[in-house]
Amino acid sequence: MRQVGMGGRGRGLGCGCLGCGGSALLVVALLGGLAWFFVIQPARSFLAGWQGPAQTQTQPPSGQAQPPGGATSTGTANAALTRQDVQQFVRVRRKVRDALGSSFTGVQTVWTDVQNGQNPNVLQMLGVLREVGSSVGAARQAQAAALSSEGMSAERYAQVRAGVNRALGLPNVDFAQAAQALQSGQVPDLNSTVQSGTAQERALVEPFRRELTATAAAGLLGL
């Protein structure tokens, strides 16, 4: 009778020449590499282009008329939306849209899904970040220059953008914040919740509704 040696069945399924422990480590290393190249690196590259010098100007440029009442156009970041705010926002958004160039198309595709009530997923977000990686820096520079020209702070611009989105019935989804979360190893919040705007906000935005709706996708990038 033929005897089977103890080593005949010594290797379990899935254990290579490195042994089961070595194979597991190899899989972990592979997954870590994939996460780096397809998740962390796109987020880092996007943020490297997105992050620029802080926009802190609170006074209008030289030669620009002071707003009525002696207040600057920046005002308090949380102040109610005004007609001047919306007009300034429209002009800044035009510069941002032009600077994004052809990469705006991919952002617009994802934004259309968001408008239809679909929460974007991480893969869609990473696809957008990779596509706009080369142009987001130029868009941020264009935004900073436009804000300086308007005498508007970045903080006030963000508040106005939120008010415009509310008036248009659009969700506030910010891929820049999501990229920061990914870079920190956190799960980003991509919920596309919609808040209702006030009657005043809707009235102020209405003259620019078509243009602002067409460029709203830039808001996905925190622009």
Side-chain angles (χ1 to χ4, degrees):
M1 178 181 295
R2 191 175 64 179
Q3 296 182 351
V4 178
M6 293 295 293
R9 297 179 182 272
R11 290 182 182 177
L13 293 176
C15 296
C17 61
L18 297 177
C20 292
S23 297
L25 290 175
L26 185 61
V27 170
V28 170
L30 178 61
L31 292 176
L34 291 174
W36 169 261
F37 285 109
F38 292 102
V39 179
I40 305 300
Q41 188 60 30
R44 290 188 64 180
S45 298
F46 171 82
L47 290 173
W50 188 87
Q51 291 169 342
Q55 219 291 337
T56 57
Q57 179 175 342
T58 58
Q59 297 294 329
S62 177
Q64 182 173 314
Q66 188 86 349
T72 67
S73 60
T74 57
T76 303
N78 295 321
L81 199 65
T82 67
R83 181 180 180 183
Q84 183 180 3
D85 286 332
V86 176
Q87 291 173 337
Q88 290 177 312
F89 182 84
V90 169
R91 290 192 289 266
V92 174
R93 180 57 70 77
R94 287 171 183 166
K95 299 296 185 181
V96 170
R97 169 64 183 87
D98 291 342
L100 283 173
S102 59
S103 65
F104 185 78
T105 304
V107 184
Q108 184 66 56
T109 300
V110 176
W111 179 245
T112 300
D113 293 338
V114 173
Q115 285 180 280
N116 291 331
Q118 301 179 23
N119 285 335
N121 57 49
V122 174
L123 290 179
Q124 287 176 311
M125 186 199 78
L126 291 173
V128 169
L129 297 189
R130 281 192 293 268
E131 183 173 355
V132 303
S134 60
S135 58
V136 69
R140 282 284 286 172
Q141 290 178 359
Q143 183 191 53
L147 287 174
S148 178
S149 177
E150 297 292 339
M152 192 179 202
S153 72
E155 293 78 13
R156 181 57 180 164
Y157 180 85
Q159 289 295 327
V160 173
R161 183 180 65 216
V164 168
N165 284 350
R166 288 194 301 268
L168 295 174
L170 301 176
N172 252 339
V173 183
D174 193 334
F175 281 7
Q177 293 181 357
Q180 290 174 339
L182 280 177
Q183 185 176 239
S184 302
Q186 301 172 350
V187 177
D189 181 8
L190 296 174
N191 290 324
S192 53
T193 55
V194 178
Q195 297 180 344
S196 299
T198 65
Q200 179 183 359
E201 288 173 338
R202 293 194 297 270
L204 290 172
V205 168
E206 187 58 36
F208 307 98
R209 173 175 290 275
R210 178 175 295 183
E211 179 177 359
L212 287 171
T213 301
T215 62
L220 279 179
L221 308 176
L223 298 168

